[in-house]
Each structure stands twice: as C-alpha cells, then as structure tokens.
Amino acid sequence: MNKKQISSALISVFDKTGLAPIIHKLNKQGVIFYSTGGTEKFIRDLGYEVTAVEDLTGYPSILGGRVKTLHPKVFGGILNRQESIEDQSALEEFEIPQIDLVIVNLYPFEDTVSAGGTEEEIVEKIDIGGIALIRAAAKNFKDTFCVSDKNDYQNFLNILTESKGVTELEQRKRYSVKAFQTSSHYDTAIFNHFNQQEEVLKISIKQAKTLRYGENPHQKGQFYGPMSDLLEQVHGKEISYNNLLDIDAAVNLMLEFYEGDCSFAILKHNNACGFATRPTLKQAYLDALAGDPVSSFGGVLITNKIIDLATATEIHSLFCEVVIAPQYNEDALNLLKGKKNRILLIQKDIPLPTNIYRTCLNGILVQDKDSETDTAEKLNFITDKKPSSQEIEDLIFASKICKHTKSNTIVLAKNGQLVASGTGQTSRVDALNHAIEKASHFNFDLKGAVMASDAFFPFPDCVEIAHKAGVSSVLQPGGSIKDQLSIDYCNENDLSMVFTGVRHFKH
C-alpha cells in the first residue's frame, strides 16, 4: 500500500537534540514506543510509556552495551513485508511486534577522531546496532519509515503534523535514500581512518551546494564540503564556480604569508596579478594594485590582516568580485557593503585538506598538497656572488608566489612587491619575456629585481635575458644536466643565483 499509518516506533539515538517535539507528536498520535538505554530514559522523563528493547527480546543489554538491539524480535518487526502472508504469520508465531518507524542517529565516530580520541575510544564509537537498524528500515521502505539524521527532524515533524502520522511511499523512499547515505558515509569515515594499506579511494561529503552554473553558463556546478567552516560570507551575491576557484587559489597563496607584515594579494584566473608586503595594510594594497591595475579589475582580493577604513576606502574605488580577510573593522565593512554584489568573506583559521583530487581520463588523480615552502635556510648558494639580505628576502617572496602560479612561470619581484609574472606559458623563455614586457608596460625598473622560476633552466638563455633586463639575483630548483651553463653565465656577469632543490610545477 502507498499510505502507511505509523502505529509503533523504535527510537534509539546518541544525540537527543531536537527529539522531544517528535516524541510529543508521536505520543499524541497514539504511537507505541520501543527504546534502549539513554533514549528510553529520555522518553520516560518526558512522561510517556516506553517498552525497553530488553523486555521485548527477553535479553539484557550485554558486553558493555555493544549488543542491545541485534535480535529477531527487533529486526523482524522492521523487515517484515506487511503484504506477505508468510511474514505476518511469522510475526504472530514468534510474537514479534510491527515496527513502522525507526529513528536512529549513530555514535559520533568522526567527532571522536577529530577530538583526538584514543584508539580504544574511537573503536567504541563504531556503531553496530544503529547501522543495522538504519539499513533494515531503509531496505524495507515500502512499509517502514527511517529517520537517520537529526537535521531532518523538523521536516519529519511537519510530515507527522500535516498527515496525522500517515506517510506516503515517496516520502519513505526519499528518507531511505538519506539513510543509506548516512550508513555509507559512516562506513567510509571508519575505513579511511583505519586504512593504511588498501589502495582504495573512498570519498564521502555530506554537505552539497548547487551553484548557479559551472565554469560556463551552459555547465552545471556543485560544491561539496563544509564551506562555512572556513569562510563566512558577510555580504554580496552568491559565490560562483569561478569565484570558488579564485578563492581557493587566493587562500592557499596567502597562507604562505599569514605571519609577519601586512600582505595583500590580487588574483585573476587563479594567478596573482598583484602582491605586496608592507608595514601598513593600505600601502600593501596600493602596491599590490600597482603591480597590474588592469588585470585587477574584477579580481579577488585577499589579505592576512584586519581591513581598516583607510584600506577599505582605497578598495572601494576598485571593481572587484571578492574580498577576503581575517576580519573587518565595522566602519570598513559598512563602506565595502556599499557595492551590493561585492562578495565579502571572513576567513577562519582551520586546517585545509592535505590531498588534491582531480578527474583524469576515466579516473581520478590524487596527490599530496605541495607543502614545501622555500626558506632562506634551505638555499644552496652556487655562484661566486652571493645575494644580499634584501635579495634573499625578495627571492623567498618571489618563490612563494611562484609556487602558486600556473606553470610555466617566472616571477619578478623587488622590495617585497610583485613586479610582474609570466604565467601558464608553454616555454620558460616565453614566460620570462612576458613578465619583462609586463613590468615595462607598468613602468617598473627591473634594476635590482630578482627572478624566481618554478622549474630548472635547461639552457642559460633565461638568466641571460633576465640579467640584460636588470635582474640581479635568481632562484631556481636546479637539476638540469646543463646547470653549469647557467652558473657560468652568472659568474661571468656578476649575477647571484641560488638553488632550492625543489620544483613547484602547478598545472
């Protein structure tokens, strides 16, 4: 039958938040309660009669609570097919009550792991009976209603109220799908926590947000993940697919500069077109903007400091899609809200994923995140001339930006400012020439600037071109069989160069 009246319910939950209104409503509709442990006490404390599962089965909760509901008198009541004469005869013969509704939420395995629980504590939070109840009720959706997520309590309460406890097949089936999602996600979390050797990829993310469209208007797009854990949107239009890609690039870049002086970055199409580090935030923004005021139009802005009114006043005159900061002063926030579509985000301090996933052919590529950051202590000084302290500071600054720029890339920097970059070029020479041309277009003097490359130079042409443009110091990974040619050119032309030993391709 399509319609089913709820007459009995098995309720066994770990988290009882929001449960009371449902208990009240079910009791008012004459529903019989079965329950266990803390949930049984919860129902009794609300003033309602409830049959303990132990009384139903004739067996007590044993093994420290590990075995409570695993019994034919429980699962027979859930799994029986009400249209089957044989099933109904079995219920009568073995005195098994019909169970129309199962409300279960599981032991908090993921929360226990996140809280740093011991292995014993984590193992004890692997739910057995709850998972079995959910799967049984979900399987028998033709006759049984399953509520497996406390976030569905209000919607389920609405169903009870509007239909006086009568459920539709479509509703039961829809909730069964959510129940299987609950059990699947739970098992995936357990597997991923304990797996050390199986080369199996299991990903389960419960939070999903449908975007206006994908990369282009004719493409569908969705974001999976708890975005609000990282970013709080305080103003502006809905975040788009392309916004998210730029925001991701911006957040990962700025993490390299989160400590220290005020830093400001402007990104376009996932690459930094402006970046500067200065004693004041306003000056950092102005110098970042000066790096490429043309590309900055419609860009994504990010900083490592609280945005004040002076900086906000400068930002407000620029059309930009997104502004990201750890926080905003109230007057700065009010000013920036003057553009109704401008997206304003507060970035929270939480760890980001350490793996990167992307589809490839008919599968998925997985790699570790590039967590290697070049530092002054790791540099290998391989030329006769050594870079000055200011040049070393600029080399590390340029290297951090280079690491987060599409390959092939060359980054030119001077005095804590991104002067220009060549991004996503098919040859390193092209990337360098593009950067030099761009620097010249915006009237930057490259004398005393430094150059960083994401990969080694197979020939000395790049150091020669950079030197003739005014660059005084070079950073690269090294590793070419012709490294010595570049070293020789530097030594012959009073140019300093350092090797990092680490390549930073970004495709």
Side-chain angles (χ1 to χ4, degrees):
M1 294 173 60
N2 183 42
K3 295 180 181 294
K4 296 286 181 180
Q5 176 73 51
I6 296 176
S7 300
S8 59
L10 172 60
I11 306 174
S12 180
V13 300
F14 183 88
D15 185 348
K16 299 163 188 64
T17 305
L19 183 62
I22 292 176
I23 301 296
H24 292 314
K25 179 62 67 174
L26 290 172
N27 179 76
K28 188 175 181 180
Q29 293 175 349
V31 173
I32 298 170
F33 296 126
Y34 300 95
S35 192
T36 63
T39 310
E40 177 194 343
K41 181 179 183 302
F42 179 81
I43 296 172
R44 291 191 192 281
D45 288 346
L46 291 175
Y48 304 127
E49 292 185 5
V50 54
T51 299
V53 167
E54 292 92 330
D55 294 337
L56 172 63
T57 64
Y59 279 88
S61 173
I62 61 174
L63 307 182
R66 283 189 167 196
V67 180
K68 291 182 286 190
T69 58
L70 298 171
H71 193 281
K73 282 202 170 183
V74 174
F75 284 87
I78 296 171
L79 283 164
N80 75 90
R81 291 156 291 192
Q82 293 181 18
E83 294 181 351
S84 167
I85 297 174
E86 291 83 359
D87 285 9
Q88 297 310 305
S89 295
L91 293 193
E92 184 176 352
E93 178 182 355
F94 297 106
E95 299 181 342
I96 299 173
Q98 175 68 47
I99 296 175
D100 306 305
L101 168 66
V102 172
I103 302 178
V104 174
N105 61 52
L106 303 171
Y107 292 162
F109 177 85
E110 289 179 281
D111 290 345
T112 305
V113 171
S114 299
T118 65
E119 182 168 293
E120 181 180 358
E121 290 170 334
I122 290 170
V123 167
E124 288 306 313
K125 287 300 183 289
I126 298 176
D127 206 313
I128 304 300
I131 280 285
L133 291 169
I134 287 173
R135 289 178 63 84
K139 175 179 179 177
N140 200 32
F141 63 84
K142 285 187 177 181
D143 297 308
T144 309
F145 202 111
C146 181
V147 182
S148 61
D149 188 339
K150 64 181 181 181
N151 293 321
D152 290 325
Y153 284 178
Q154 184 57 54
N155 186 52
F156 176 61
L157 184 60
N158 293 340
I159 292 173
L160 292 176
T161 302
E162 293 166 6
S163 65
K164 296 181 172 59
V166 176
T167 64
E168 302 279 350
L169 177 60
E170 181 278 328
Q171 294 169 335
R172 297 192 298 275
K173 191 170 185 177
R174 176 159 45 88
Y175 270 71
S176 79
V177 171
K178 299 194 74 171
F180 283 123
Q181 188 277 325
T182 296
S183 65
S184 172
H185 178 83
Y186 197 75
D187 286 339
T188 296
I190 294 169
F191 171 81
N192 286 337
H193 174 73
F194 287 105
N195 180 41
Q196 298 294 329
Q197 67 282 334
E198 296 291 332
E199 293 185 356
V200 176
L201 176 62
K202 290 184 180 291
I203 301 173
S204 178
I205 302 174
K206 291 190 289 187
Q207 300 90 341
K209 177 179 175 59
T210 299
L211 305 173
R212 283 177 290 162
Y213 50 80
E215 202 161 6
N216 299 292
H218 62 275
Q219 296 170 268
K220 294 180 180 179
Q222 286 185 306
F223 176 84
Y224 292 91
M227 192 192 309
S228 60
D229 288 356
L230 174 65
L231 298 168
E232 177 187 352
Q233 183 170 356
V234 293
H235 182 71
K237 64 182 180 181
E238 184 180 352
I239 299 174
S240 72
Y241 182 98
N242 291 330
N243 289 153
L244 286 170
L245 291 177
D246 284 330
I247 291 167
D248 176 72
V251 166
N252 280 286
L253 170 60
M254 191 54 69
L255 285 176
E256 304 278 358
F257 297 87
Y258 225 69
E259 304 294 333
D261 286 343
C262 302
S263 291
F264 220 110
I266 304 173
L267 287 87
K268 196 74 172 285
H269 296 295
N270 310 160
N271 296 307
C273 58
F275 200 116
T277 296
R278 294 290 183 263
T280 68
L281 190 60
K282 176 183 174 180
Q283 196 58 51
Y285 167 72
L286 290 173
D287 288 350
L289 179 64
D292 187 345
V294 175
S295 296
S296 298
F297 182 86
V300 169
L301 281 58
I302 187 168
T303 180
N304 62 345
K305 302 297 180 183
I306 298 172
I307 293 183
D308 54 26
L309 181 60
T311 307
T313 301
E314 298 295 339
I315 293 172
H316 194 54
S317 63
L318 174 73
F319 169 72
C320 57
E321 286 275 333
V322 182
V323 183
I324 311 165
Q327 193 53 266
Y328 304 79
N329 287 342
E330 185 176 357
D331 50 3
L333 183 60
N334 289 335
L335 175 63
L336 293 174
K337 284 181 176 180
K339 301 287 178 68
K340 68 176 183 178
N341 288 329
R342 179 186 285 150
I343 298 167
L344 303 179
L345 301 173
I346 295 174
Q347 182 183 341
K348 304 172 188 177
D349 185 15
I350 67 167
L352 293 177
T354 56
N355 288 331
I356 296 173
Y357 304 87
R358 63 193 299 180
T359 57
C360 181
L361 301 175
N362 60 340
I364 297 174
L365 280 172
V366 183
Q367 68 168 346
D368 295 337
K369 190 175 182 179
D370 184 357
S371 58
E372 187 72 29
T373 298
D374 298 327
T375 64
E377 293 75 23
K378 297 177 183 177
L379 298 180
N380 183 14
F381 302 92
I382 44 83
T383 53
D384 294 338
K385 183 178 182 180
K386 303 299 182 285
S388 67
S389 58
Q390 180 60 55
E391 286 173 332
I392 291 175
E393 192 173 318
D394 282 342
L395 287 169
I396 297 302
F397 172 86
S399 172
K400 291 177 178 179
I401 297 173
C402 194
K403 171 183 169 181
H404 294 274
T405 305
K406 295 290 185 182
S407 300
N408 288 313
T409 184
I410 293 289
V411 170
L412 303 178
K414 185 177 180 180
N415 297 326
Q417 181 182 23
L418 172 61
V419 174
S421 61
T423 65
Q425 300 299 308
T426 53
S427 90
R428 206 157 300 281
V429 171
D430 286 346
L432 174 56
N433 285 328
H434 178 68
I436 292 171
E437 180 184 350
K438 195 171 183 180
S440 174
H441 179 74
F442 292 115
N443 300 315
F444 281 102
D445 180 7
L446 290 179
K447 185 177 182 180
V450 304
M451 173 176 73
S453 173
D454 59 335
F456 64 64
F457 300 123
F459 303 101
D461 45 7
C462 280
V463 290
E464 181 179 355
I465 294 169
H467 173 244
K468 290 179 178 179
V471 169
S472 61
S473 192
V474 177
L475 177 147
Q476 60 144 316
S480 169
I481 59 174
K482 296 184 178 180
D483 275 345
Q484 193 59 47
L485 295 178
S486 294
I487 294 172
D488 290 343
Y489 180 89
C490 290
N491 287 336
E492 292 165 4
N493 292 275
D494 199 32
L495 192 66
S496 64
M497 183 165 63
V498 297
F499 284 179
T500 65
V502 180
R503 188 181 73 185
H504 291 296
F505 271 166
K506 188 171 187 287
H507 293 104

